[in-house]
Amino acid sequence: MTEIEVPAPEPDWQPAAQLPYHAGKNPAYQYSVWEHHALIFQMIGVPALSVHPVAQRLRLHVERSWDGLDELDVVLFRLKGFSFAISKHDGNPAGVSYV
């Protein structure tokens, strides 16, 4: 199979992951899996616990992701017809998760 060579980025492009808008002539805007899904959720609680114990209880896989704030652990799941997300940012000084 022939290897495809991808050109290097343009010299005036800024990193897409750090942009809340298009700048520096970079045509790409990158967002995380969590940012993609977060708009359909409404916050219902802020427990002082990690995502991992809940994920272990329900035998779910915790995803490592990031958003505009920080790196985070997130688990998305459906229970009795309702969709839930539990996330915890690494840099959250209160050490809480969001449901």
Side-chain angles (χ1 to χ4, degrees):
M1 177 176 237
T2 305
E3 184 114 2
I4 298 174
E5 191 171 318
V6 178
E10 299 299 319
D12 59 346
W13 285 7
Q14 296 173 345
Q18 299 175 3
L19 300 176
Y21 52 87
H22 294 294
K25 299 184 182 176
N26 187 338
Y29 172 69
Q30 183 174 0
Y31 54 92
S32 70
V33 171
W34 174 232
E35 287 175 309
H36 178 74
H37 288 88
L39 298 175
I40 64 171
F41 289 96
Q42 176 181 344
M43 190 178 342
I44 60 170
V46 186
L49 61 88
S50 170
V51 173
H52 294 274
V54 176
Q56 287 174 347
R57 168 73 173 146
L58 298 174
R59 296 187 184 267
L60 301 169
H61 173 75
V62 177
E63 294 180 61
R64 189 76 180 149
S65 190
W66 55 268
D67 62 10
L69 299 174
D70 203 354
E71 301 261 336
L72 58 93
D73 289 327
V74 62
V75 64
L76 303 162
F77 61 98
R78 202 160 168 82
L79 184 63
K80 295 188 177 183
F82 293 95
S83 294
F84 292 91
I86 303 174
S87 64
K88 183 172 188 292
H89 285 89
D90 289 354
N92 184 330
V96 296
S97 294
Y98 296 101
V99 180

